[in-house]
Amino acid sequence: MFVISCPYCGARDQSEFSYGGEAHIARPEWREDMSDAEWADFVFMRSNPKGVLAERWVHSAGCRRFFNMLRNTATDEILAVYKIGERAPEVQAKLPATPCGEAPIGSGNDAVKVMQPGEAE
Amino acid sequence: MQRYNVVRLIREGLSGHKGWQPAWRKAEPKPSYDAVIIGGGGHGLATAYYLAKLHGMTNIAVVEKGWIGGGNSGRNTTIIRSNYLYDASAALYNHALTLWKDLSRELNYNIMMSHRGVLNLAHDEGEARQLKRRVEANRLNGVQAEWLEAKEVKAFCPPISVAADARYPVIGATLQRDGGVNRHDAVVWGFARAASDMGVDIIEQCEVTGIDTDKDVITGVRTTRGTIATEKVACVTAGHTSVIAGMLGLRLPIESHPLQALVSEPLKPVLPCVVMSNAVHVYMSQSSKGELVIGAGIDPYLSYTQRGSFDIIEHQMAALIELFPFVSRVRMMRQWGGIVDVCPDASPIISKTPVKGFYVDGGWGTGGWKATPGSGHALADLVANDEPNAIAAPFTLERFVTGNLVAEHGAAAVAH
Ligand SMILES: Cc1cc2nc3c(=O)[nH]c(=O)nc-3n(C[C@H](O)[C@H](O)[C@H](O)COP(=O)(O)OP(=O)(O)OC[C@H]3O[C@@H](n4cnc5c(N)ncnc54)[C@H](O)[C@@H]3O)c2cc1C
Ligand SMILES: [Zn+2]
């Protein structure tokens, strides 16, 4: 469970917020030759990274305003909160050593951690 | 393979159980295989089993980053049913249900399949109408289904409260009598043992870290235990499907969410069937060990941490106590989470991709356990023939471009 810092109200329990999905997905400008695949990419395809994700939240049980957040999905660490319309700030995140691996801390799954070469069994 | 039967059990019992052999070989990666399956969950191992058994492809490997069955296969609540609304889903999940019925015998491994019945409760008139419609749709598709009035629900499942003044009054339910639960580890180990016996290499502690291609044709995989050459790669990694597809630059319509479950202290038999409620978002069954197994909906946000938020547990327990007042005095022992790969139409992807030789079986979300043998069967067909069979055909990736979705969200809101 997170404590999320609403840019308007300050730190509140996550249960006060609703999730708004991946941020910065812009609706494509209409063009006559727009393909179905381009529409599918906008409507359905998502980056779903194991790592830094820019996402929207809304403070539904508070000020009811939307804002953006950067979060490390491998650890749930919140890296930055910023307002709608602002650019995502540069951040550093503790990422797993391998693409599907588990991060050193913050993973709920230490037991399935992959042994790196040389690591004792 | 050492067959398991009563004669062997008695003989081993008399000789101090010293003659049992490991159920499957711990294999080392070979330089090349005819096909590599990424992910040693139930789906990946079932795929390997059917590839070897039905398509004669035995020079194949299953590579697993942790231990087999350590992902969602080992974390799910094993509810099995096939009462989906649409024809395509009914065909897929009912095919799996048919395979489950004979799987213990086929694998010579007791998967503890128990067809104890699954109740889906209705709490208001609108939901009752919708569920009755589903019963009719199910029957047209040959799926076992019936409607029970509140009194019949109480008779079938006595601990449930059907009080008229309840916060969530039970006004009826659908029942699928041949639905039920089974034992997750046994399914994983049973498929692993049978596949290994036919020559399939099962390689644990081996994470795929990259996929090699030549002009959009698969040539091999890179792993934490070296490079393996192969022309066919099947990605069966549940929550990590997008990460693997991303290695090839493919974007998928999948988002990975935590889904949690919890179990109580063991009790004497109190709950004769599986009970699910979409409206209040909770479901419960009782394991053969006696624990109440309880689950709910996904956490709303994306995450790979295999935990979940506390407010979800609070919500589901509040609903559960309304439905089953006796649970208020039961202690909960363990809670855990898995990472489920959710598709926007709540249906899976069993598909070829723009990269030749790369197949995806994912997007099963919160409800893929029930499909394990059916998914493996269909994916094995696709990998062997490079064409989807009739069951897999509606579940291609292209459906998100053509708009031909299998929109099961409404029919299967809590889809486990
Ligand atoms: C709490 C919970 C309850 C559920 N309840 C139900 C239910 O009641 N009924 C139902 O039908 N379904 C249920 N499900 C869903 C079900 O568990 C899944 O849909 C199903 O088990 C998926 O099987 P799988 O074999 O594809 O995935 P998994 O068992 O997760 O297997 C995927 C494997 O891939 C491995 N992997 C990932 N990345 C890599 C890599 N790079 N290299 C090598 N290996 C890799 C993982 O370690 C994992 O072992 C539930 C899920 C959860 C989490
Ligand atoms: Zn606020």
Side-chain angles (χ1 to χ4, degrees), chain A residues 100 112, chain B residues 38-44 63-80 206-209 236-240 244 247 259-261 283 336-341 361 364-372 415-416:
Chain A
C100 298
V112 190
Chain B
I38 313 176
H43 288 220
V63 294
E64 164 56 48
K65 73 173 174 130
W67 68 71
I68 59 168
N72 291 349
S73 295
R75 295 160 183 267
N76 81 98
T77 49
T78 74
I79 294 172
I80 288 165
C206 181
E207 179 184 331
V208 170
T209 54
V236 201
T237 53
H240 283 93
I244 304 282
M247 293 172 183
L259 175 67
Q260 41 183 334
Y283 63 94
W336 65 90
I339 299 302
V340 295
D341 42 340
D361 179 297
W364 292 92
T366 60
W369 178 255
K370 65 176 73 67
T372 301
H416 323 286

Side-chain angles (χ1 to χ4, degrees), chain B residues 72-413:
Chain B
N72 291 349
S73 295
R75 295 160 183 267
N76 81 98
T77 49
T78 74
I79 294 172
I80 288 165
R81 60 189 181 91
S82 61
N83 53 359
Y84 284 71
L85 184 65
Y86 293 109
D87 298 356
S89 326
L92 172 63
Y93 292 105
N94 218 37
H95 177 54
L97 186 59
T98 308
L99 293 170
W100 281 125
K101 286 180 180 166
D102 200 40
L103 205 58
S104 285
R105 203 188 339 256
E106 177 170 344
L107 297 177
N108 179 233
Y109 205 100
N110 184 4
I111 62 163
M112 297 167 75
M113 187 68 230
S114 158
H115 299 279
R116 61 182 65 175
V118 175
L119 285 176
N120 287 78
L121 305 180
H123 300 287
D124 60 54
E125 283 302 332
E127 199 178 16
R129 256 197 312 275
Q130 202 259 334
L131 286 181
K132 284 180 189 167
R133 169 183 176 224
R134 199 164 99 197
V135 165
E136 303 304 334
N138 289 159
R139 287 186 171 170
L140 288 172
N141 276 320
V143 173
Q144 205 278 325
E146 60 201 89
W147 172 258
L148 303 186
E149 297 294 341
K151 244 194 287 159
E152 297 166 304
V153 173
K154 182 79 183 166
F156 189 76
C157 182
I160 204 163
S161 161
V162 295
D165 61 349
R167 183 164 161 212
Y168 308 111
V170 175
I171 64 170
T174 65
L175 170 63
Q176 180 168 18
R177 285 185 195 272
D178 59 2
V181 289
N182 59 17
R183 170 102 182 119
H184 45 75
D185 297 324
V187 172
V188 168
W189 297 335
F191 273 125
R193 171 170 171 264
S196 173
D197 182 56
M198 289 184 283
V200 175
D201 278 359
I202 295 166
I203 306 161
E204 294 172 295
Q205 292 292 324
C206 181
E207 179 184 331
V208 170
T209 54
I211 302 176
D212 294 322
T213 55
D214 183 14
K215 299 192 186 67
D216 280 341
V217 177
I218 292 285
T219 57
V221 293
R222 272 168 278 148
T223 79
T224 48
R225 294 174 67 178
T227 300
I228 301 171
T230 185
E231 287 174 1
K232 293 184 174 194
V233 171
C235 169
V236 201
T237 53
H240 283 93
T241 307
S242 303
V243 182
I244 304 282
M247 293 172 183
L248 292 167
L250 299 175
R251 274 159 67 77
L252 297 179
I254 288 179
E255 295 197 305
S256 297
H257 290 265
L259 175 67
Q260 41 183 334
L262 67 165
V263 294
S264 74
E265 58 190 329
L267 305 176
K268 288 193 172 157
V270 286
L271 190 64
C273 59
V274 180
V275 181
M276 312 182 70
S277 166
N278 281 3
V280 306
H281 244 66
V282 72
Y283 63 94
M284 180 162 85
S285 66
Q286 188 171 22
S287 76
S288 312
K289 262 192 290 180
E291 303 150 325
L292 298 175
V293 182
I294 299 158
I298 54 172
D299 278 74
Y301 53 89
L302 292 192
S303 180
Y304 288 84
T305 56
Q306 306 196 66
R307 286 183 307 228
S309 332
F310 202 70
D311 57 313
I312 302 275
I313 305 177
E314 208 176 353
H315 174 84
Q316 82 195 56
M317 295 317 276
L320 192 70
I321 289 167
E322 284 288 328
L323 284 177
F324 298 96
F326 82 94
V327 176
S328 68
R329 279 165 290 133
V330 177
R331 274 175 292 254
M332 296 300 144
M333 303 293 274
R334 292 190 307 282
Q335 173 273 356
W336 65 90
I339 299 302
V340 295
D341 42 340
V342 179
C343 268
D345 60 353
S347 287
I349 297 165
I350 310 171
S351 185
K352 295 205 271 192
T353 64
V355 178
K356 189 167 166 41
F358 183 68
Y359 308 93
V360 172
D361 179 297
W364 292 92
T366 60
W369 178 255
K370 65 176 73 67
T372 301
S375 161
H377 197 268
L379 179 61
D381 222 89
L382 177 61
V383 171
N385 301 324
D386 200 41
E387 275 308 319
N389 65 15
I391 286 180
F395 297 100
T396 56
L397 211 42
E398 282 95 69
R399 75 177 188 269
F400 297 97
V401 175
T402 61
N404 202 1
L405 305 182
V406 188
E408 284 290 352
H409 250 311

